[in-house]
Amino acid sequence: MAVMTYRDALNLALREEMQRDPRVFVIGEEVGLYEGAYKVTQGLLKEFGPRRVVDTPIAESGFTGVGIGAAMVGLRPVIEMMTFNFALLALDQIVNTAAKMNYMSGGQYNIPIVVRGPGGPAHQLAAQHSQSMEVYFYHVPGLKVVRPSTPADAKGLLKSAIRDDNPVIFIESETLYAIKGEVPEDPDFTIPLGQAVVRREGTDVTVVAYMGMMYRALEAAEALDKEGISVEVVDPRTLRPMDTETIIGSVRKTHRAVVVEAGAGFAGMGSEIAAFITEQAFDDLDAPVDRVTGANAPMPYARNLEKLKTPTKEKIIDAVRRVCNANGS
Amino acid sequence: MAVMTYRDALNLALREEMQRDPRVFVIGEEVGLYEGAYKVTQGLLKEFGPRRVVDTPIAESGFTGVGIGAAMVGLRPVIEMMTFNFALLALDQIVNTAAKMNYMSGGQYNIPIVVRGPGGPAHQLAAQHSQSMEVYFYHVPGLKVVRPSTPADAKGLLKSAIRDDNPVIFIESETLYAIKGEVPEDPDFTIPLGQAVVRREGTDVTVVAYMGMMYRALEAAEALDKEGISVEVVDPRTLRPMDTETIIGSVRKTHRAVVVEAGAGFAGMGSEIAAFITEQAFDDLDAPVDRVTGANAPMPYARNLEKLKTPTKEKIIDAVRRVCNANGS
Amino acid sequence: MATSTSTNIGVDEDTAKRLLHQMMLIRRFEEKAAENYALGNIGGFLHLSIGEEAVAVGVTSMLRPDDYVISTYREHGHCLAKGSDPKRMMAELFGRRDGLSKGKGGSMHLFDKSVNFLGGHAIVGSHLPVAAGVGFAIKYQGGDQVCVCYFGDGAVAEGEFHESLNLVSLWKLPVIYICENNRYAMGTSLERALAETEIYKFGQAYKIPSEPMDGMDVLAVREATGRAIERARTNKTPVLLEARTYRFRGHSMRDPAGAVYRTKDEVEHEKLRDPILLFRERVLGAGTVSVADVQGIEKDVNDLVDEAVAFADASPEPPSEWLFTDIYRD
Amino acid sequence: MATSTSTNIGVDEDTAKRLLHQMMLIRRFEEKAAENYALGNIGGFLHLSIGEEAVAVGVTSMLRPDDYVISTYREHGHCLAKGSDPKRMMAELFGRRDGLSKGKGGSMHLFDKSVNFLGGHAIVGSHLPVAAGVGFAIKYQGGDQVCVCYFGDGAVAEGEFHESLNLVSLWKLPVIYICENNRYAMGTSLERALAETEIYKFGQAYKIPSEPMDGMDVLAVREATGRAIERARTNKTPVLLEARTYRFRGHSMRDPAGAVYRTKDEVEHEKLRDPILLFRERVLGAGTVSVADVQGIEKDVNDLVDEAVAFADASPEPPSEWLFTDIYRD
Ligand SMILES: Cc1ncc(C[n+]2csc(CCOP(=O)(O)OP(=O)(O)O)c2C)c(N)n1
Ligand SMILES: Cc1ncc(C[n+]2csc(CCOP(=O)(O)OP(=O)(O)O)c2C)c(N)n1
Ligand SMILES: [Mg+2]
Ligand SMILES: [Mg+2]
């Protein structure tokens, strides 16, 4: 175990996988000479050279297609989106080509790529540069979608994503790159895709949250503890495939659930989680699943408005109180 | 009232709005000389000329951007996507430019465009040409999303969409173009966006469905009637903004709900509808909301597999029976 | 710049027979496919390359088996020429279990890894960057193959054409982009789609060597492609070729011969340059092959295609479970 | 082709003063913005155009008020030159209620309908098709305005560059595309991004008249732009101009002067061609303006920018309800 930042954990995962497998290479804007707009690829060009650390022009659809083509004939590209906001320009490549190729070819051509980069709310970057992008991917059969909340998860899940034989969308966060945590140094350490984790044990209510919202949820849990409300926090980590069992298991125990997401709520991840919890644990629920979501608006630039856009610890606390005071028990 | 096809109803709406407002024009691939890949724009070039019926090269992002720019300075374009599968190439324009412009400009530049064309399952067109595309749009603040199921709705909603001052995503269906129905000829006839409609009254269970699934639901309702199960069918018509009141009102009456959607289920429209029904009518529900969705797979080409991919009348009947036999009542 | 037409006949008997055989096989395969579409044995979209056979055959005849080919939804000819089994191709068109893609892809999505045929892609322009990626991998792996990417004139207006040409030139990748310019993208003629209708000229903007070629003359195609492959293989650099050709049938089976956007006369006139007739007359005239040889080839391709149809017809539908297989590779 | 440098001084006193005033105003505005970014009054991304002022000022000085301008996230200069109020601009950078976009857009999304400034767009390449649409509308409405679209060298590699140039040429639209070629897209130099680094040459592929111009020489910019506007306005056709310029600061405030990807020497060398110094010496030398005039202008722009900062500072935050306004127009 070593304490390192989320950024360094990602960097270490890339380094280890590139050392382990010569087919793995990194491609994207500013990943080489500039060492990454957010420095996630720092030192890679020096260590692996321009053949395996490839700077591209600003052509998201183009270099994503390059990754897909390279994957068709035996390579394992890690494609960096400088930020996921720009992934919409490559969405056709990801959805219509990468995600469907194995199916359309009857299993002949699988596409082992990772598309990674930061996404989600950032600091005063406004509507075009500060949005939750996972919504464009987790609905798509053929894709896997990961949102790692901690340094250890960042490392373990990125390594699994790179080793996975399918297209994996791996969305990090500008606001988490600097956080520190314990990270296993063992190069064989990986975390399987599709496994949620209980971040905090509790008995009264289950709060499902990932990325920055997971930290808000833990803070809320601390505060609620003092009121005698015991909150269990579950982090899905992988959104597709979703580990419904761990979440349902927790709800069967607590009988109450709050789902938190940073994105605008309507038809988001929270909708699906609330829906399957209700379907699978209806009789165990003492209250309807409550959703705490980002405001249903684009991201404003003004600092004060931006604060109102994304769920706060307080909003989560209110929701937990709501479900606890609801009928039943 | 006149009986006409869904296709002709759309054509009439375009014609009337172009006659009514000189700022309205149609732009897209094959909309002019070829009169539309699906003939929705038949006769428009002859009537309005090449200035207002604009054939484009195959450049979805380009001509969608052209529509947005034209809208910024006073025009009201109707942009045809030959099929919505290709809209992913224009998604950045739609999501990051059109949907956010009014907000980013503090209300200075609204974008009155309609992006229309067929979407959803078609006949043996396989994975890239047969998919439910609304999922990429209804989550986005700043957009409105319409899915018209009948010829009358096609006309009334398209006219409202064209008159709306915001970007409206209007997704038709290849499988409905030929269906016939009564359509008001009055050029002032419109249907407001954001209003659901009860297609069939019933007392035991509410089935929410749109487009082809709405017809499957009506067939299922007929069959279930014989078993003494009275089904109410509600068609949202507009997915964003969603008319939650009409749907909740129906569920408060029937105490049971089944949500049907053609698309792969995970994190789709059905998730949101199931989630808000449960939140707002939890105490009225005698059973958890049931979802009937398309198989969680890309669309296969083979006829027999294709049949298994999209929900059938039988699957809806089973779901209704499930919720009716569930505990409670 | 006029398209370079083949100078001398310059093919031996075997080659002549092989080229004729392949072109006739493609023609026959697609004629039968059309019949079976009418019969309802084939569904969805069916795009025929009838009239364009010389491009697929001429190009592929200069490739090595380990070279890669990637194409559009109008790919039957490219797939057959690369060496795929007509039986498994027809079974795919029928949507049957023995199809190349297990019946899941259909006519627009033929893939055959055994011959390095990288598919059938139906989003216009989308496979051009993918081809660049194949070229990237060839270089990364130190191989000496090339990747041929076929696309239509309609794809030229898409942004991915530009992004791809810039990337392959910037990175010096062994990709040969071959535009099958049949002068129409569905109902849109070149003049109504492109500011520059001499498509090969776009190569200059990216400093990519490019030339037009007579796509109705299989030998002209061989000559130009030969030069291109030689260059790409040795220098590991891209080439852009424009094959001037023509589609005798409608855009797809749903487009009745394209009556609206082009005249009957134009179509009839172009049919006078039917690539199969042209080449047959030429090799007969030069005495390279005999009438009997031609009849023999005719019989052989008819038999092959009949077998293919019989095989497809006999192949069962894919089992229901297959709806959920191949979504992910585990 | 060498960039055309302005031949004679060819500006009268008023024009000279106006040009100098605008360039110095932009410079001062951005220097103060940088200060206030450091102070935390401005957040998010802040991209300065220091070093590139001659382009915005030279181009706009040839436009009519009813002409349209659309730009990128590096648009302070373009917006100021088009005539926006520095106070409301600075208030927008501060994220305040009196900002051009009510504080919702910030530095990257300045919009000012009152002067036909169509924004600040931060997805590279995305506003090029939008500009084509503005040109389309001008023609549709029978107007005689033109639309100027500024973009960076980095946008040239994006597919939308290609789609847009093809469309405006095909449809003959009065759009003037002006590439502000500062030789770097963030940390990526031209040579590492484009197969053709003489960007104006791309115009040829689309049959669009194009030329490079010295972006550090405001008079050269005026001359080339004058020709372009004349042509676009009368023929209703597009033009592509490449302004050769340089960014003196880092890509954004988060990029320390760009130390990694370019040398200090290079930056210092380019600073010798500071467009403001060049023009000032020139007009002083020619006696068009006096030292006193220059000092007067200096004082005036300092005052204007100080007022702008004071105004922004005094403007309240937008009310909470505004989070939900302007999402839709009803
Ligand atoms: C991105 C995209 N837009 C539109 C279509 C619909 N479409 C299918 S084929 C076609 C015409 C393509 O013409 P061309 O590239 O010249 O190829 P050809 O059919 O002539 O061989 C169009 C518009 C599509 N498949 N993909
Ligand atoms: C589509 C897209 N990709 C990437 C980015 C991130 N990004 C912002 S500015 C920039 C560099 C643009 O360089 P250039 O076009 O030369 O303009 P300059 O900044 O030099 O004025 C990049 C890569 C973006 N905003 N949009
Ligand atoms: Mg064509
Ligand atoms: Mg630049």
Side-chain angles (χ1 to χ4, degrees):
Chain A
M1 283 286 187
V3 172
M4 66 179 79
T5 63
Y6 184 100
R7 174 184 287 106
D8 293 339
L10 291 167
N11 182 270
L12 183 57
L14 289 169
R15 204 178 291 273
E16 287 177 359
E17 293 306 301
M18 288 179 80
Q19 286 161 349
R20 176 175 177 272
D21 185 346
R23 300 168 303 170
V24 176
F25 70 98
V26 171
I27 183 170
E29 293 159 14
E30 308 295 351
V31 296
L33 179 62
Y34 200 81
E35 303 191 292
Y38 295 93
K39 303 294 173 246
V40 171
T41 55
Q42 193 139 39
L44 295 186
L45 177 63
K46 197 173 292 99
E47 180 171 349
F48 299 100
R51 174 169 163 274
R52 298 182 67 191
V53 182
V54 184
D55 279 321
T56 70
I58 310 171
E60 287 76 9
S61 188
F63 66 72
T64 301
V66 165
I68 295 167
M72 284 185 86
V73 296
L75 301 187
R76 303 182 76 87
V78 177
I79 303 161
E80 174 168 316
M81 287 292 154
M82 185 180 283
T83 79
F84 255 89
N85 304 288
F86 317 135
L88 290 187
L89 289 162
L91 197 68
D92 175 73
Q93 284 291 340
I94 295 168
V95 169
N96 278 324
T97 301
K100 296 173 169 53
M101 187 100 66
N102 197 55
Y103 199 77
M104 294 191 301
S105 67
Q108 294 180 85
Y109 287 103
N110 63 307
I111 307 297
I113 61 172
V114 174
V115 183
R116 57 151 292 276
H123 293 311
Q124 284 198 276
L125 299 189
Q128 293 185 327
H129 277 68
S130 187
Q131 45 186 331
S132 297
M133 301 300 291
E134 60 268 40
V135 66
Y136 299 99
F137 302 97
Y138 50 58
H139 177 78
V140 182
L143 296 181
K144 296 185 179 183
V145 181
V146 179
R147 296 234 55 198
S149 307
T150 68
D153 283 7
K155 186 190 179 194
L157 288 165
L158 181 53
K159 287 165 70 75
S160 293
I162 294 171
R163 298 181 191 187
D164 198 277
D165 282 329
N166 303 283
V168 179
I169 306 302
F170 191 93
I171 310 182
E172 305 151 8
S173 168
E174 279 147 87
T175 60
L176 296 183
Y177 281 138
I179 63 162
K180 290 205 165 95
E182 294 267 319
V183 176
E185 280 164 304
D186 171 8
D188 293 332
F189 160 75
T190 63
I191 297 171
L193 303 186
Q195 286 188 8
V197 62
V198 174
R199 295 286 179 200
R200 183 187 203 279
E201 304 246 334
T203 54
D204 299 334
V205 56
T206 299
V207 174
V208 183
Y210 56 89
M211 306 304 278
M213 295 301 102
M214 188 277 288
Y215 294 97
R216 297 295 87 64
L218 288 176
E219 293 162 16
E222 283 306 315
L224 287 157
D225 205 41
K226 303 187 178 56
E227 300 179 17
I229 298 178
S230 166
V231 176
E232 177 148 302
V233 177
V234 181
D235 182 345
R237 299 200 288 197
T238 302
L239 303 183
R240 182 184 188 96
M242 172 67 67
D243 176 0
T244 55
E245 276 155 42
T246 300
I247 294 170
I248 294 298
S250 173
V251 174
R252 289 201 197 290
K253 182 178 75 178
T254 63
H255 304 291
R256 293 180 168 79
V258 169
V259 184
V260 188
E261 73 182 305
F266 187 82
M269 193 71 251
S271 319
E272 174 59 35
I273 296 174
F276 76 69
I277 289 176
T278 309
E279 282 167 0
Q280 298 178 39
F282 191 69
D283 300 338
D284 295 294
L285 283 174
D286 290 338
V289 178
D290 205 310
R291 288 185 284 168
V292 180
T293 75
N296 207 336
M299 182 65 77
Y301 166 73
R303 200 170 287 139
N304 65 315
L305 296 183
E306 185 185 47
K307 283 215 188 68
L308 299 171
K309 160 73 174 149
T310 307
T312 55
K313 165 187 163 187
E314 290 66 32
K315 285 211 179 98
I316 298 170
I317 290 173
D318 294 344
V320 169
R321 291 208 188 102
R322 268 200 305 277
V323 294
C324 289
N325 302 334
N327 62 319
S329 68
Chain B
M1 283 288 183
V3 172
M4 66 179 78
T5 62
Y6 185 100
R7 172 184 288 106
D8 293 340
L10 291 166
N11 182 269
L12 182 57
L14 289 169
R15 203 179 290 275
E16 287 177 359
E17 293 306 301
M18 288 178 81
Q19 286 161 352
R20 176 175 178 272
D21 185 344
R23 300 169 303 171
V24 176
F25 70 98
V26 172
I27 184 170
E29 294 159 13
E30 308 296 349
V31 295
L33 179 62
Y34 200 81
E35 302 191 292
Y38 296 93
K39 303 294 172 245
V40 171
T41 56
Q42 194 139 39
L44 295 186
L45 178 63
K46 198 173 290 99
E47 180 171 349
F48 300 99
R51 174 170 162 273
R52 298 182 66 192
V53 181
V54 184
D55 279 321
T56 69
I58 310 173
E60 287 76 10
S61 188
F63 66 73
T64 300
V66 164
I68 294 167
M72 284 185 85
V73 296
L75 301 186
R76 304 182 76 87
V78 177
I79 302 161
E80 175 168 314
M81 288 292 154
M82 185 180 282
T83 79
F84 254 89
N85 304 290
F86 317 136
L88 290 188
L89 289 161
L91 196 67
D92 176 72
Q93 285 289 341
I94 295 168
V95 169
N96 278 326
T97 302
K100 296 173 169 55
M101 186 102 64
N102 196 56
Y103 198 78
M104 294 192 301
S105 68
Q108 294 180 83
Y109 287 103
N110 64 307
I111 307 297
I113 61 173
V114 175
V115 183
R116 57 151 292 275
H123 294 311
Q124 284 199 275
L125 299 189
Q128 292 184 328
H129 276 68
S130 187
Q131 45 186 331
S132 297
M133 301 300 292
E134 60 268 40
V135 66
Y136 298 98
F137 302 98
Y138 50 58
H139 177 79
V140 183
L143 296 181
K144 296 185 178 183
V145 181
V146 180
R147 295 235 54 199
S149 307
T150 69
D153 283 6
K155 187 189 178 194
L157 289 165
L158 181 53
K159 286 165 71 76
S160 293
I162 293 170
R163 297 182 190 186
D164 198 276
D165 283 329
N166 304 283
V168 180
I169 306 302
F170 190 94
I171 310 181
E172 304 151 9
S173 168
E174 278 148 84
T175 61
L176 295 182
Y177 281 137
I179 64 162
K180 291 203 165 97
E182 294 266 320
V183 177
E185 280 164 306
D186 171 8
D188 293 331
F189 160 74
T190 62
I191 296 172
L193 303 186
Q195 286 187 10
V197 62
V198 175
R199 295 284 180 201
R200 182 188 203 278
E201 304 245 334
T203 55
D204 300 333
V205 55
T206 299
V207 175
V208 182
Y210 55 89
M211 305 303 280
M213 294 301 101
M214 189 277 289
Y215 293 98
R216 295 298 86 65
L218 288 175
E219 293 161 16
E222 283 305 316
L224 287 156
D225 206 42
K226 303 189 178 56
E227 300 180 16
I229 298 178
S230 165
V231 176
E232 178 146 302
V233 177
V234 181
D235 181 347
R237 299 200 287 199
T238 301
L239 303 183
R240 183 183 188 96
M242 172 68 67
D243 176 1
T244 55
E245 276 156 40
T246 300
I247 294 170
I248 294 298
S250 173
V251 174
R252 289 201 197 291
K253 183 176 76 176
T254 62
H255 304 291
R256 294 181 168 78
V258 170
V259 183
V260 189
E261 76 182 304
F266 188 80
M269 192 70 251
S271 319
E272 174 59 36
I273 296 175
F276 75 70
I277 289 176
T278 309
E279 281 167 1
Q280 299 179 37
F282 190 69
D283 300 338
D284 294 295
L285 283 174
D286 289 338
V289 178
D290 206 311
R291 288 185 283 170
V292 180
T293 74
N296 207 335
M299 183 65 76
Y301 165 74
R303 200 171 287 140
N304 65 313
L305 296 184
E306 185 185 49
K307 283 214 187 69
L308 298 171
K309 159 75 174 147
T310 307
T312 55
K313 166 187 163 188
E314 291 65 33
K315 286 212 179 97
I316 298 171
I317 290 176
D318 295 344
V320 169
R321 291 208 188 102
R322 269 199 305 276
V323 294
C324 288
N325 301 336
N327 61 319
S329 70
Chain C
M1 180 165 172
T3 60
S4 55
T5 337
S6 58
T7 48
N8 62 12
I9 183 75
V11 277
D12 56 37
E13 181 181 348
D14 289 356
T15 313
K17 285 182 180 167
R18 209 177 68 250
L19 297 174
L20 199 53
H21 188 281
Q22 286 194 341
M23 290 197 288
M24 288 168 72
L25 176 63
I26 294 169
R27 177 72 56 97
R28 182 69 175 182
F29 182 93
E30 291 197 316
E31 285 167 349
K32 276 286 172 194
E35 275 176 41
N36 282 277
Y37 189 87
L39 293 171
N41 293 330
I42 297 171
F45 288 138
L46 180 69
H47 308 86
L48 306 180
S49 66
I50 290 177
E52 308 182 13
E53 296 91 342
V55 184
V57 172
V59 169
T60 319
S61 69
M62 307 303 285
L63 289 173
R64 293 192 329 217
D66 63 339
D67 288 327
Y68 298 100
V69 171
I70 188 166
S71 183
T72 67
Y73 48 84
R74 196 182 299 284
E75 86 283 37
H76 304 147
H78 308 132
C79 189
L80 270 170
K82 194 69 169 76
S84 277
D85 177 353
K87 295 202 213 63
R88 298 201 57 208
M89 284 177 59
M90 191 62 82
E92 188 58 37
L93 270 57
F94 274 52
R96 302 300 174 82
R97 143 188 235 149
D98 299 299
L100 283 174
S101 298
K102 301 180 183 171
K104 297 182 185 185
S107 162
M108 300 196 291
H109 305 301
L110 298 174
F111 288 81
D112 190 347
K113 196 164 192 171
S114 70
V115 299
N116 288 328
F117 185 72
L118 303 172
H121 301 266
I123 303 296
V124 170
S126 66
H127 65 300
L128 274 70
V130 176
V134 175
F136 177 92
I138 290 169
K139 209 164 171 179
Y140 186 99
Q141 294 159 333
D144 71 339
Q145 306 102 303
V146 300
C147 177
V148 163
C149 175
Y150 297 102
F151 60 98
D153 46 285
V156 175
E158 286 278 11
E160 287 170 315
F161 170 83
H162 170 72
E163 295 187 11
S164 302
L165 266 63
N166 183 55
L167 290 175
V168 294
S169 177
L170 185 69
W171 293 341
K172 302 202 180 352
L173 304 178
V175 181
I176 299 166
Y177 283 107
I178 299 178
C179 179
E180 294 187 301
N181 177 4
N182 57 18
R183 287 158 40 194
Y184 295 90
M186 262 176 108
T188 305
S189 61
L190 277 183
E191 306 67 41
R192 304 201 300 126
L194 297 174
E196 173 55 77
T197 55
E198 295 214 87
I199 291 168
Y200 77 93
K201 288 187 179 170
F202 277 97
Q204 296 163 11
Y206 309 94
K207 300 185 171 158
I208 295 178
S210 64
E211 63 175 290
M213 57 188 179
D214 180 352
M216 304 311 245
D217 177 347
V218 68
L219 299 182
V221 172
R222 277 166 61 85
E223 285 180 18
T225 310
R227 283 190 290 275
I229 292 173
E230 168 65 22
R231 175 184 257 138
R233 205 185 294 285
T234 45
N235 312 349
K236 303 231 174 310
T237 51
V239 179
L240 171 63
L241 295 177
E242 175 191 351
R244 306 238 164 118
T245 181
Y246 199 81
R247 140 169 82 68
F248 292 169
R249 301 291 186 96
H251 169 71
S252 79
M253 294 299 291
R254 297 184 183 184
D255 172 37
V260 231
Y261 52 86
R262 57 185 192 181
T263 64
K264 272 209 162 28
D265 291 1
E266 177 181 306
V267 178
E268 289 317 311
H269 175 76
E270 292 298 331
K271 282 185 176 168
L272 298 177
R273 298 203 69 239
D274 183 321
I276 297 178
L277 296 185
L278 283 185
F279 186 64
R280 195 167 60 193
E281 278 160 29
R282 203 131 164 230
V283 287
L284 281 171
T288 322
V289 301
S290 70
V291 174
D293 293 329
V294 174
Q295 289 165 339
I297 293 173
E298 186 130 37
K299 171 161 193 339
D300 189 53
V301 301
N302 291 355
D303 293 346
L304 282 171
V305 174
D306 290 346
E307 279 169 37
V309 171
F311 175 85
D313 207 32
S315 177
E317 288 182 325
S320 304
E321 318 83 70
W322 285 11
L323 172 62
F324 293 107
T325 57
D326 302 319
I327 300 172
Y328 296 97
R329 167 79 58 95
D330 16 59
Chain D
M1 179 165 170
T3 60
S4 55
T5 338
S6 59
T7 47
N8 63 11
I9 183 76
V11 278
D12 56 36
E13 182 181 349
D14 289 357
T15 313
K17 286 182 179 166
R18 209 176 68 251
L19 298 174
L20 199 54
H21 188 281
Q22 287 195 340
M23 290 198 286
M24 288 168 71
L25 176 63
I26 294 169
R27 177 73 54 98
R28 182 67 174 184
F29 182 93
E30 292 198 315
E31 285 168 347
K32 276 287 172 193
E35 277 177 40
N36 281 278
Y37 189 88
L39 293 171
N41 293 329
I42 297 172
F45 288 138
L46 181 69
H47 308 86
L48 306 180
S49 66
I50 291 177
E52 308 182 11
E53 296 92 343
V55 184
V57 171
V59 168
T60 319
S61 69
M62 305 305 283
L63 290 173
R64 294 192 328 216
D66 63 339
D67 289 326
Y68 298 100
V69 171
I70 188 165
S71 184
T72 67
Y73 48 84
R74 195 182 301 282
E75 85 284 38
H76 304 147
H78 308 131
C79 189
L80 271 170
K82 194 67 172 77
S84 276
D85 177 352
K87 295 202 213 62
R88 299 202 55 209
M89 284 176 59
M90 192 63 81
E92 187 59 36
L93 270 56
F94 275 53
R96 302 298 174 83
R97 150 188 227 144
D98 299 299
L100 283 174
S101 298
K102 302 179 182 171
K104 297 182 185 187
S107 162
M108 298 196 292
H109 304 301
L110 299 174
F111 288 81
D112 191 346
K113 196 165 191 171
S114 70
V115 298
N116 288 328
F117 185 72
L118 303 172
H121 300 268
I123 304 296
V124 168
S126 66
H127 65 298
L128 274 70
V130 175
V134 174
F136 178 93
I138 290 169
K139 209 164 170 179
Y140 186 99
Q141 295 158 334
D144 72 339
Q145 306 102 301
V146 298
C147 177
V148 164
C149 176
Y150 297 101
F151 61 98
D153 46 282
V156 175
E158 285 279 11
E160 287 171 316
F161 169 83
H162 170 73
E163 296 187 10
S164 302
L165 266 64
N166 183 55
L167 289 175
V168 294
S169 177
L170 185 70
W171 294 341
K172 304 206 182 339
L173 304 178
V175 180
I176 299 166
Y177 283 106
I178 300 178
C179 180
E180 295 187 299
N181 177 5
N182 56 16
R183 287 156 43 192
Y184 296 90
M186 256 173 117
T188 305
S189 61
L190 278 182
E191 307 67 41
R192 303 201 303 125
L194 297 173
E196 173 56 77
T197 56
E198 297 215 89
I199 291 166
Y200 76 93
K201 289 187 179 171
F202 278 98
Q204 296 163 12
Y206 309 96
K207 300 184 171 158
I208 294 178
S210 64
E211 63 175 290
M213 56 188 180
D214 180 353
M216 305 311 246
D217 177 346
V218 67
L219 299 182
V221 172
R222 276 167 62 84
E223 284 179 20
T225 311
R227 282 189 291 274
I229 292 173
E230 168 66 22
R231 175 184 256 138
R233 206 185 292 287
T234 45
N235 313 349
K236 304 232 172 307
T237 51
V239 180
L240 171 64
L241 295 177
E242 175 190 351
R244 307 238 164 118
T245 181
Y246 199 82
R247 138 166 85 66
F248 292 169
R249 302 292 187 96
H251 169 71
S252 79
M253 294 300 291
R254 297 185 182 183
D255 172 38
V260 232
Y261 52 86
R262 56 185 192 180
T263 64
K264 272 210 158 33
D265 290 1
E266 177 182 307
V267 178
E268 288 318 310
H269 175 76
E270 291 300 331
K271 282 185 176 169
L272 298 176
R273 298 204 69 238
D274 183 321
I276 297 179
L277 297 185
L278 282 185
F279 186 64
R280 195 167 61 194
E281 279 160 27
R282 203 132 164 226
V283 287
L284 281 172
T288 322
V289 303
S290 69
V291 173
D293 293 330
V294 175
Q295 291 166 338
I297 292 173
E298 186 132 38
K299 171 161 194 341
D300 190 53
V301 302
N302 291 355
D303 293 347
L304 282 170
V305 173
D306 291 347
E307 280 169 35
V309 171
F311 175 86
D313 208 33
S315 176
E317 288 184 325
S320 303
E321 319 82 71
W322 286 11
L323 173 62
F324 293 107
T325 57
D326 302 318
I327 301 171
Y328 295 97
R329 167 79 59 93
D330 19 57

